[in-house]
Amino acid sequence: IYKEAYSNQLNVSDYYTNVGIYSFKVKAVGEGYFKSSDYSEVITDVYTKSLDVPANLQSAIGSNYIKISWLQVENASEYALYLNGTRFYLNTQTGINSPITTNSVIINNEDLTDYDTSNLKYQVQAIASTGGYYTNSALSSAKFINTQLVVLDAPVISLDETNGKIAINKVD
């Protein structure tokens, strides 16, 4: 890219079109009795960019699990899930802390025993691959899951022997 500059500063970020390594060199261009200089030494700059924050977080509660999902983030190599402010790892019971490489995770209830699940806060972070030009995203906005089940009162039944019917009281 050729750029004329009439100042001793140049905003190089105007030239960044994508993440990566950019090299710069300059020379003074002469006019009239002035001969143009040689090029300066080359300097390089690495342009990095934060990954987008995961969005559209959703959760679903099953009989013995919680499913948390979000929109996939371009260039993310994996995701970090935080429950009540602590990073959650898959397969902790086996000692193998597996990364979350898809845009959803199913957490079995037995994996939640170390967490207060009465009002479970969850957040997601997109993780960049090591050595790349992207950096980890910020944490998503916090969302909450109320995993406390409301237990219904047991219905009261009675037998009407005269007509052979069972009466069942309505449960609120």
Side-chain angles (χ1 to χ4, degrees):
I1 297 174
Y2 174 79
K3 171 73 174 169
E4 288 188 23
Y6 300 98
S7 169
N8 63 348
Q9 291 186 347
L10 185 63
N11 186 358
V12 294
S13 63
D14 293 341
Y15 301 99
Y16 297 150
T17 56
N18 205 348
V19 296
I21 299 174
Y22 287 81
S23 298
F24 301 93
K25 62 183 179 177
V26 296
K27 76 174 184 174
V29 178
E31 272 184 28
Y33 292 106
F34 295 98
K35 181 181 175 191
S36 296
S37 71
D38 291 335
Y39 278 99
S40 66
E41 292 183 29
V42 174
I43 59 170
T44 58
D45 187 29
V46 178
Y47 175 56
T48 60
K49 182 179 175 186
S50 292
L51 292 171
D52 291 336
V53 175
N56 197 28
L57 275 66
Q58 297 185 8
S59 62
I61 300 174
S63 59
N64 63 348
Y65 67 89
I66 295 172
K67 180 179 180 181
I68 299 174
S69 61
W70 54 91
L71 291 177
Q72 186 172 340
V73 175
E74 188 176 356
N75 297 306
S77 63
E78 62 185 76
Y79 299 91
L81 173 65
Y82 290 84
L83 300 177
N84 293 341
T86 302
R87 185 159 180 186
F88 173 83
Y89 290 95
L90 294 173
N91 301 318
T92 53
Q93 69 276 11
T94 64
I96 301 169
N97 292 335
S98 301
I100 300 170
T101 56
T102 62
N103 62 324
S104 67
V105 62
I106 294 175
I107 306 168
N108 294 320
N109 288 349
E110 58 265 15
D111 292 330
L112 294 171
T113 56
D114 293 338
Y115 298 92
D116 173 13
T117 59
S118 62
N119 198 24
L120 187 66
K121 176 177 88 169
Y122 66 98
Q123 294 173 281
V124 178
Q125 179 183 34
I127 304 297
S129 59
T130 306
Y133 300 117
Y134 290 93
T135 58
N136 298 347
S137 75
L139 286 175
S140 66
S141 297
K143 299 273 288 209
F144 294 88
I145 307 170
N146 185 344
T147 60
Q148 294 298 312
L149 299 176
V150 176
V151 179
L152 298 172
D153 292 330
V156 176
I157 62 172
S158 59
L159 176 61
D160 183 349
E161 293 180 17
T162 57
N163 64 14
K165 293 185 180 179
I166 294 177
I168 304 170
N169 289 357
K170 182 179 175 185
V171 177
D172 292 322

